[in-house]
Amino acid sequence: MDKGYISFIESLGGLDGPGLRTVFFLQGCPARCLYCHNPETQSLQGGDLYTVQDVLLLVEKYRAYYGTNGGVTFSGGEPLVQRDFLLSCLKALREQKVHTTLDTSGTMFDAEIFDNVDLVMLDIKHTDPNKYKSIVDCDISMDTTHRCIEYFEQKGIKFWVRQVIVPEYNDDQANIQALKKLGKCALKIELLPYHALGKNKYEKIGKPYPDYLQEPTPELMARLNAWLKE
């Protein structure tokens, strides 16, 4: 498919993969995570309709800024919801020798997508299957996340592991140790502090925001990162 719905585009971002990158936030996500930062992308309906050619033209506009390690990142939402459009974009960018990164929640598996991307950033919500269910509000188990990791390891696909830290949900040593084990073949494991900066987005779309969630302190993040390095 050569058309897809994109919620918004970050022309040059430095937080969504290596180097400077153009980040496309695609519509659609099945996860409905407790602390979703982009709730406006959950529905497939929304955003603007783009063709693959539209994407290529935008990339060409900013390509000079990518340098030797930048490129394009597809985020969301969950980009795999629009897998045909995503695949067409990945293949077209590979022909143009543009580095691509996929930011995925690990709630969907697609071997052909993974085979056509240069780097996967895998967002692991929690390492405990039961506690995972307290964050991901849908009928999805951690089995899909494990299947993704096994495929990356078997095929030698480069990947990072990321986890958003929410106090009282996944800020314990057992979770960090399990995360290290899951990400033993990852190029990098990142712990990202939960923040409430997306609250205004919920207000705009008329959804209640989970005000009871806490932001981790710098001291807590330092302790978790120390456990990660042990």
Side-chain angles (χ1 to χ4, degrees):
M1 184 177 180
D2 64 350
K3 294 181 180 180
Y5 289 94
I6 296 176
S7 178
F8 59 101
I9 300 167
E10 189 173 357
S11 302
L12 292 172
L15 301 175
D16 297 280
L20 286 176
R21 315 188 70 80
T22 301
V23 188
F24 296 91
F25 293 86
L26 275 60
Q27 288 288 148
C29 184
R32 304 295 194 272
C33 293
L34 178 66
Y35 49 76
C36 179
H37 182 60
N38 297 322
E40 73 280 11
T41 66
Q42 291 178 0
S43 172
L44 185 56
Q45 280 70 46
D48 296 307
L49 191 62
Y50 284 78
T51 66
V52 175
Q53 187 61 30
D54 291 333
V55 169
L56 293 178
L57 288 173
L58 277 169
V59 169
E60 189 59 34
K61 181 178 179 181
Y62 299 109
R63 187 170 182 170
Y65 298 97
Y66 299 161
T68 57
N69 64 337
V72 171
T73 296
F74 291 96
S75 186
E78 170 52 65
L80 286 167
V81 169
Q82 298 191 65
R83 65 92 56 195
D84 293 340
F85 173 65
L86 174 63
L87 183 61
S88 295
C89 288
L90 291 174
K91 288 183 175 180
L93 290 167
R94 177 159 285 185
E95 288 180 2
Q96 297 294 323
K97 294 181 170 48
V98 176
H99 184 278
T100 55
T101 294
L102 172 68
D103 184 1
T104 179
S105 61
T107 55
M108 301 178 72
F109 178 91
D110 194 306
E112 190 175 11
I113 292 289
F114 299 149
D115 289 342
N116 281 279
V117 73
D118 297 306
L119 174 70
V120 178
M121 294 193 303
L122 181 63
D123 182 8
I124 298 180
K125 309 301 179 180
H126 205 295
T127 56
D128 181 277
N130 293 320
K131 293 179 180 178
Y132 176 87
K133 288 289 189 180
S134 69
I135 295 175
V136 180
D137 184 22
C138 62
D139 189 24
I140 296 174
S141 73
M142 276 201 69
D143 292 345
T144 306
T145 298
H146 287 288
R147 186 182 177 196
C148 289
I149 293 174
E150 290 170 2
Y151 189 78
F152 300 158
E153 293 175 353
Q154 291 169 3
K155 301 284 285 190
I157 294 169
K158 295 178 181 178
F159 72 105
W160 294 0
V161 163
R162 288 177 145 190
Q163 187 171 88
V164 176
I165 297 300
V166 184
E168 299 184 9
Y169 280 85
N170 57 4
D171 60 337
D172 57 280
Q173 191 169 13
N175 172 62
I176 299 302
Q177 290 174 341
L179 192 67
K180 284 173 60 178
K181 186 176 181 180
L182 279 176
K184 64 182 184 298
C185 294
L187 297 177
K188 181 192 294 189
I189 300 178
E190 288 185 317
L191 303 181
L192 307 175
Y194 159 76
H195 58 73
L197 296 179
K199 183 177 181 179
N200 65 316
K201 295 183 178 182
Y202 284 76
E203 293 172 350
K204 287 181 180 178
I205 63 176
K207 292 188 68 172
Y209 188 79
D211 285 312
Y212 54 87
L213 296 180
Q214 306 172 46
E215 295 184 352
T217 63
E219 292 76 17
L220 173 58
M221 294 304 299
R223 183 163 68 251
L224 298 183
N225 277 297
W227 287 340
L228 194 60
K229 295 174 182 176
E230 287 180 353

